[in-house]
Amino acid sequence: MVVGSRTPIGLPPPPPSQSSKNHGITQPISLAGPTDVDIQRNAELEKLLVDSGLYESKEEAAKREEVLGCISLVIIA
């Protein structure tokens, strides 16, 4: 199949583009905030991540920041 010449069997053709020159930032899909279910699932995910030890400790964070500071000094110099 040549790209752009046909659509797969059973699928409608794609809608025509409004403008081939329209590039950049698009409108948001939604402006709605999180639902109660979203907030609950987020809390469950956070708990799982903490319980699994997937967040860095304060000591690890301090060491990472120190290393990144050293790297930036080397890059600047």
Side-chain angles (χ1 to χ4, degrees):
M1 174 186 337
V2 176
V3 175
S5 66
R6 297 181 181 173
T7 59
I9 297 174
L11 295 178
S17 63
Q18 293 179 353
S19 170
S20 62
K21 295 181 183 181
N22 188 6
H23 300 285
I25 299 173
T26 61
Q27 296 297 317
I29 294 172
S30 172
L31 296 175
T35 64
D36 291 339
V37 172
D38 293 332
I39 294 169
Q40 177 187 356
R41 289 181 178 163
N42 190 64
E44 292 170 2
L45 177 59
E46 287 280 337
K47 183 179 182 322
L48 174 71
L49 294 172
V50 169
D51 292 348
S52 299
L54 297 174
Y55 282 117
E56 65 187 7
S57 67
K58 290 185 180 190
E59 294 79 17
E60 291 169 324
K63 183 65 177 176
R64 178 177 49 80
E65 290 177 20
E66 178 185 345
V67 169
L68 290 173
C70 292
I71 291 171
S72 69
L73 290 175
V74 170
I75 292 172
I76 292 172

